[in-house]
Amino acid sequence: MSTILITGASSGLGAEMARQFSAHGHDLALCARRTDRLEGVRDEILAAHPERRVELRALDVNDDAQVFEVVRAFRDDFGGLDRVVVNAGIGKGAPLGTGRYDVNRGTAMTNFVAALAQAEAAMEVFREQNAGHLVLVSSMSAMRGMPKSMTVYAATKAALSHLGEGLQYELLGKPIKVTVLHCGYIASEMNERVQQQVRFLVPTEQGVRAMVAAIEKEKAHAYVPALPWTALAPVMRHTPLPLLKRLR
């Protein structure tokens, strides 16, 4: 049994990870802005697994000071943290130069700057413990620059993936592990508006099952679900842009 902190745990992938990790025997530290939704997730987990410990805290990941405060408070609650899953993020965006810098800036701040704060806070705990497992939830869009409304989102995920790889490089041979998850199309509240237009979309439970399996194995990098994304990753990364555009 270990203690897992999940950000953005009130819905979607975060809430489903909480359900599945609890079924695997882990205690949970869950945080998000919507505490009423968090309470519902907690109540559901405890009804199914009354032996689990589930602690909740409100967190706006764009509040740097609150990020460090919440991570340290959970550490104190449990006497340490074994794993931190940096999951909170948004999928908004607009083509550059179309007057929606506010939307693109918000995506950049939430998906990378706020993720950096979460990683900093987690690594602070892990360095003190000389142990821990940091999980960064990235995206298959990190494989390549993306057009139109996806441009900034993809750039933030590429930055997050490189952040994780840099830590892996530094921590080789040490007891602190880092996993970068490149997620394909998994149904969630964030993408529910476009689900009918997306190929290779899998239900939330199925997609998260693949995420949890990769996390439990402490893989350095994982494409989830493995099929078709493991095969598509090199295609996405190396196909010339004119051909890639025709394939979309």
Side-chain angles (χ1 to χ4, degrees), residues 3 6 13 24 27 68 124 144 153 162 201 215 230 240:
T3 300
I6 305 173
L13 305 186
H24 287 203
D27 290 335
F68 284 88
E124 177 185 87
R144 202 67 180 267
Y153 177 83
H162 278 266
L201 181 75
I215 293 169
T230 300

Side-chain angles (χ1 to χ4, degrees), residues 54-172:
V54 183
E55 300 291 342
L56 310 178
R57 277 190 165 78
L59 175 62
D60 179 351
V61 295
N62 288 297
D63 183 333
D64 289 351
Q66 191 181 37
V67 168
F68 284 88
E69 176 187 331
V70 165
V71 171
R72 291 166 182 165
F74 276 137
R75 172 203 60 194
D76 294 343
D77 288 343
F78 288 94
L81 294 170
D82 299 296
R83 179 179 288 150
V84 174
V85 182
V86 178
N87 167 71
I90 57 176
K92 297 179 181 179
L96 271 67
T98 59
R100 294 311 311 272
Y101 170 69
D102 59 323
V103 172
N104 288 327
R105 183 183 186 279
T107 296
M109 294 299 292
T110 299
N111 287 3
F112 183 67
V113 176
L116 171 61
Q118 295 164 68
E120 286 268 9
M123 286 300 301
E124 177 185 87
V125 173
F126 295 159
R127 291 186 194 276
E128 290 173 354
Q129 299 174 165
N130 195 34
H133 183 199
L134 176 66
V135 179
L136 304 177
V137 179
S138 185
S139 166
M140 289 302 300
S141 66
M143 298 296 103
R144 202 67 180 267
M146 293 290 171
K148 299 182 179 179
S149 62
M150 288 289 291
T151 300
V152 172
Y153 177 83
T156 65
K157 292 303 186 179
L160 185 63
S161 295
H162 278 266
L163 180 74
E165 188 169 42
L167 280 170
Q168 289 166 352
Y169 188 5
E170 175 190 347
L171 298 168
L172 280 172

Side-chain angles (χ1 to χ4, degrees), residues 6-7 62 80 140 142 195 209 232:
I6 305 173
T7 66
N62 288 297
M140 289 302 300
Q195 287 180 13
R209 192 179 307 117
L232 288 177

Side-chain angles (χ1 to χ4, degrees), residues 174-195:
K174 297 183 179 180
I176 301 172
K177 305 300 180 184
V178 179
T179 293
V180 179
L181 294 180
H182 292 101
C183 298
Y185 296 126
I186 302 172
S188 70
E189 289 184 16
M190 189 171 74
N191 60 26
E192 61 186 0
R193 295 180 182 178
V194 296
Q195 287 180 13

Side-chain angles (χ1 to χ4, degrees), residues 17-26 28 45 49 51-52 54:
M17 275 191 282
R19 296 183 190 100
Q20 295 193 23
F21 278 130
S22 67
H24 287 203
H26 302 293
L28 299 168
I45 289 170
H49 306 284
E51 71 281 8
R52 293 282 75 78
V54 183

Side-chain angles (χ1 to χ4, degrees), residues 11-55:
S11 64
L13 305 186
E16 183 58 26
M17 275 191 282
R19 296 183 190 100
Q20 295 193 23
F21 278 130
S22 67
H24 287 203
H26 302 293
D27 290 335
L28 299 168
L30 306 180
C31 47
R33 288 180 300 173
R34 297 175 294 183
T35 54
D36 57 328
R37 299 284 294 272
L38 279 179
E39 290 167 359
V41 173
R42 177 196 59 194
D43 293 347
E44 180 183 345
I45 289 170
L46 293 179
H49 306 284
E51 71 281 8
R52 293 282 75 78
R53 180 180 178 187
V54 183
E55 300 291 342

